[in-house]
Amino acid sequence: CDFFEIRDRRSPAMRVPRGHRFEPPWPGEQLPRGASDLLSPTWAQADPAVSTARMSRRRAPVAKQTPYITPEGEKRLRDEFERLWHEERPRVTREVTEAAAQGDRSENAEYIYGKKRLREIDARVEFLDKRLDELTVVRDVPADDGTIFFGAWVRLEDEDGEERVYRIVGPDEFDVEQGRISVDSPLGRALMRKQEGDAVVVRRPRGDATYEILGVRYRRFESD
């Protein structure tokens, strides 16, 4: 057989040529812009919020990631997998084939870039396939608001009186600019199991930060 299927649960058409080699990610990728030492995990990780043009340059995290994800986060990862495998990879493959037909490949910028992009796509597809198998989707939420667990929306007030709302999510779906912080981040860890009215202190290199918990919900706050 010249092909094998990645996973039946994705699509029976997702077949990879037997012997196809997925290449490892490239080093040096940074966490999403706007992430801070309070809000981001303390190790590099693959993040679906990062654009696919940057997606595969990050090496696998050294620390073990929390294996939980929200239903919305899982959908984003599955949608990304589908788009990369069924849309972007076939398109880039066609572009590489066309560029190769032009002649000398060693000086063909389109060919060189296309091959690099294919390696990036393959690395991300392999990561997503493995990671989706490892993740547990948290669909049940507490019946009552007030205590912070995974998936909660939390309204905080800092020492300057500024209010912020964050949702506690898995490390594969955090996006600080969208108000989603990782449960593995310093702030995320400090907030877990706390209640409305509690104050939390988060230790960070440039000094401790104190927050008061103004509200906890398992749905968006009406004003947000």
Side-chain angles (χ1 to χ4, degrees):
C1 180
D2 294 329
F3 294 88
F4 68 92
E5 293 180 359
I6 288 184
R7 287 290 184 275
D8 289 341
R9 58 181 169 78
R10 306 272 198 276
S11 167
M14 289 183 192
R15 299 189 304 164
V16 179
R18 189 170 299 281
H20 177 74
R21 181 167 61 95
F22 288 110
E23 301 200 10
W26 294 76
E29 181 60 56
Q30 301 297 315
L31 293 172
R33 184 180 62 186
S36 70
D37 55 358
L38 271 180
L39 305 175
S40 305
T42 54
W43 29 258
Q45 61 185 336
D47 176 20
V50 180
S51 67
T52 54
R54 304 161 52 205
M55 67 192 171
S56 72
R57 298 181 181 181
R58 186 179 298 104
R59 290 191 182 279
V62 175
K64 186 175 181 180
Q65 301 181 51
T66 297
Y68 298 123
I69 193 168
T70 65
E72 301 91 336
E74 184 205 31
K75 183 178 185 303
R76 281 190 291 269
L77 293 189
R78 291 188 183 279
D79 288 348
E80 181 185 1
F81 184 99
E82 294 280 348
R83 176 178 56 78
L84 289 174
W85 188 251
H86 288 300
E87 298 177 20
E88 188 160 357
R89 196 179 195 285
R91 176 181 60 78
V92 176
T93 299
R94 288 193 299 270
E95 292 173 354
V96 169
T97 301
E98 293 171 359
Q102 296 176 7
D104 187 359
R105 300 178 182 180
S106 63
E107 298 182 359
N108 189 323
E110 290 79 8
Y111 176 82
I112 295 172
Y113 171 79
K115 292 290 288 184
K116 178 182 176 182
R117 183 68 184 129
L118 282 176
R119 291 194 296 269
E120 293 176 345
I121 292 171
D122 287 349
R124 182 61 174 171
V125 165
E126 182 182 32
F127 171 82
L128 289 172
D129 184 60
K130 292 180 178 179
R131 186 61 175 160
L132 283 165
D133 275 344
E134 299 169 350
L135 290 171
T136 298
V137 182
V138 179
R139 303 186 186 278
D140 297 329
V141 298
D144 298 321
D145 297 327
T147 302
I148 300 173
F149 295 103
F150 185 89
W153 277 270
V154 184
R155 186 184 297 277
L156 303 175
E157 182 179 66
D158 65 17
E159 296 163 305
D160 297 324
E162 183 177 352
E163 294 186 11
R164 301 181 176 88
V165 174
Y166 296 117
R167 190 184 187 193
I168 311 297
V169 300
D172 298 270
E173 54 183 327
F174 84 91
D175 185 339
V176 176
E177 294 178 355
Q178 296 296 320
R180 301 193 301 268
I181 64 172
S182 171
V183 67
D184 289 337
S185 68
L187 180 56
R189 292 196 301 268
L191 289 172
M192 293 297 288
R193 299 183 181 277
K194 297 297 190 299
Q195 298 180 330
E196 290 185 19
D198 287 349
V200 296
V201 177
V202 183
R203 302 193 180 282
R204 55 182 183 175
R206 61 176 181 270
D208 294 351
T210 302
Y211 297 90
E212 181 181 354
I213 302 171
L214 302 180
V216 180
R217 300 288 184 273
Y218 287 90
R219 59 194 178 282
R220 290 185 181 276
F221 287 93
E222 294 181 0
S223 60
D224 297 312

